[in-house]
Amino acid sequence: MRENTRVSQSEHESPASAAPLDGWTPVYSGKVRDLYVERTDAAPSLATAARVLVVASDRVSAFDHVLEPGIPGKGELLTTLSLWWFDRLTDVPNHLVADHEQVGGTVREIIPASVSGRAMLCRTLDMFPIECVVRGYLTGSGWKEYLESQSVCGLKLPAGLQNGDRLPEPIYTPAWKAPMGQHDENISFERTVELVGPTIAAELRSLSLALFQAAGAIAEQAGVILADTKFEFGADRQTGVTVLADEVLTSDSSRYWDAEAWRTGTTPETRMASFDKQIVRNWLSAHWDGAGIPPELPTEIVEQTAARYRELLERLTSA
C-alpha cells in the first residue's frame, strides 16, 4: 500500500508550490489540491502525521495539464459538495475528523482562516493504489472504446448503444494509480486482486457500486444524472478498516448531467448538458492540438464553468 496522498500520484508536484499556512507544513502539491501536516519539532511527513489538511484550490486541469486562469470559487464549491456527500453516505466510514477542538474553556478552529471553506481535516490512511471508477452511462473514453470493441475496459456491452445511453447496470472499471511520472491506466479486476489481494479487491468493487447506486438515487431527486464517478479508499492505520477518502462525487471527479436535457435531447451534446468541467474539455479539444502549453481559457468559458459548478451544488443541496 502507498501512503495517503489523497490524489493521483501522477499529479505530483513540488510541495514548495503550495501556499504557506501558519502552523502547517506543505507536503504535497497536485494539479488541484495541496496537502499539509501540522508543524512539529520532528520532521513532518504523511508517514508520521495522524491527520492531514486537504486544501482545494481554484486551479482547473484537463488532459493532464493545469490551465489558466483558475475557476473563481471552485475550491470552496468542490469542498462543500464533498462534505455534503460525506454527510449522506454514512454507511461507509470516511476520512473526515473534527475540524475544531476544545482548549481550556474555548473552542479552537483547527483549519486556518485563510483556507476556511475550501479545506478538509482528515485522518491519514494507507491508501490503496486503485481509482475505483463506476460508470452508469456510456460516454467519454468509454464511448470511444465501445465504438472499437463493443466493450468498456474489457467488459462486453450490448450492441446498439449510443453515446450517452444508460448502461443496463453500472459497471466497475478500476484504474491503477501509477507512480510519479507515469500515467494512470485502466486495469482489470483481476489486476486489482494482484495489487491489493482478493478480499480488498472485492470490497472496493462492492463499496464503489453501492455508493454509486446510493448517490445516483439522491441526484435523481434533484433532476440530475450521475453518469460516472471515481472513489478512492484507504485502510485505517490502527484498525485496517476500509475508509472512503479523497474528494467524493465532485464536479471534478464525476460527470453530472441535467436529467431533463438528457431525456429530451436529440444529440449527445444536448443530452449531456453537464455540471462538470466538460465545458473546459470541449473548448480545449476544439482549440488545442495537445502540443506544447495549452491556451488560456477565455473569460466566457471560465464563467460558464463556475456557473455550472454552482448550479449543481444548489440543485443537490436544495432538493
Side-chain angles (χ1 to χ4, degrees):
M1 300 178 194
R2 63 187 176 92
E3 291 180 6
N4 178 339
T5 61
R6 294 284 174 263
V7 286
S8 170
Q9 286 193 341
S10 63
E11 296 179 2
H12 272 269
E13 296 177 6
S14 167
S17 63
L21 292 177
D22 288 342
W24 295 85
T25 298
V27 291
Y28 169 91
S29 185
K31 288 188 179 71
V32 175
R33 282 165 292 171
D34 302 316
L35 303 187
Y36 298 79
V37 296
E38 290 165 290
R39 190 171 299 143
T40 61
D41 293 334
S45 72
L46 284 170
T48 58
R51 55 192 183 184
V52 58
L53 188 66
V54 182
V55 180
S57 73
D58 290 346
R59 300 189 295 268
V60 62
S61 68
F63 307 124
D64 288 328
H65 287 268
V66 176
L67 309 176
E68 295 289 345
I71 308 298
K74 174 175 173 283
E76 185 167 350
L77 288 168
L78 295 190
T79 299
T80 302
L81 189 54
S82 274
L83 293 172
W84 186 84
W85 277 115
F86 279 128
D87 280 346
R88 279 147 188 81
L89 302 175
T90 55
D91 288 342
V92 180
N94 64 61
H95 65 164
L96 297 177
V97 296
D99 57 10
H100 57 276
E101 59 189 4
Q102 187 165 340
V103 179
T106 63
V107 174
R108 181 180 77 90
E109 297 293 334
I110 302 173
I111 295 177
S114 60
V115 294
S116 178
R118 58 186 183 92
M120 299 184 295
L121 190 64
C122 310
R123 53 179 152 159
T124 50
L125 306 168
D126 287 325
M127 296 294 289
F128 300 117
I130 309 292
E131 281 197 344
C132 299
V133 180
V134 183
R135 307 169 190 256
Y137 291 74
L138 184 61
T139 191
S141 63
W143 167 242
K144 293 178 182 177
E145 182 181 344
Y146 177 81
L147 288 175
E148 297 175 353
S149 62
Q150 202 179 306
S151 64
V152 174
C153 297
L155 299 177
K156 205 69 177 176
L157 295 176
L161 295 177
Q162 300 298 314
N163 190 8
D165 278 354
R166 185 171 187 165
L167 298 174
E169 60 182 10
I171 58 175
Y172 177 68
T173 58
W176 174 58
K177 295 180 66 63
M180 180 179 177
Q182 301 181 35
H183 291 290
D184 294 353
E185 61 182 66
N186 294 332
I187 58 176
S188 65
F189 177 74
E190 289 71 25
R191 177 61 178 142
T192 68
V193 171
E194 295 175 1
L195 289 168
V196 299
T199 301
I200 294 298
E203 184 181 27
L204 295 181
R205 178 174 62 183
S206 175
L207 288 174
S208 298
L209 289 168
L211 287 167
F212 184 84
Q213 294 277 32
I218 293 172
E220 284 183 10
Q221 295 174 7
V224 173
I225 288 172
L226 174 62
D228 57 42
T229 194
K230 65 96 177 170
F231 300 106
E232 294 191 40
F233 298 89
D236 184 284
R237 290 177 174 175
Q238 279 71 50
T239 66
V241 170
T242 297
V243 176
L244 179 61
D246 202 75
E247 62 178 337
V248 63
L249 294 160
T250 70
S251 305
D252 271 12
S253 65
S254 316
R255 280 189 176 90
Y256 285 102
W257 301 336
D258 180 273
E260 186 62 24
W262 180 87
R263 281 192 293 268
T264 60
T266 56
T267 68
E269 288 74 22
T270 56
R271 288 175 67 187
M272 297 179 201
S274 62
F275 296 102
D276 47 56
K277 61 181 178 182
Q278 193 61 43
I279 297 170
V280 171
R281 295 190 194 101
N282 291 346
W283 184 88
L284 199 58
S285 296
H287 296 84
W288 184 51
D289 62 4
I293 299 173
E296 186 170 303
L297 297 174
T299 300
E300 60 267 26
I301 295 299
V302 172
E303 292 175 348
Q304 288 173 25
T305 303
R308 297 301 275 177
Y309 277 42
R310 286 193 299 270
E311 184 178 350
L312 174 66
L313 181 62
E314 291 167 1
R315 278 209 192 189
L316 289 173
T317 59
S318 62

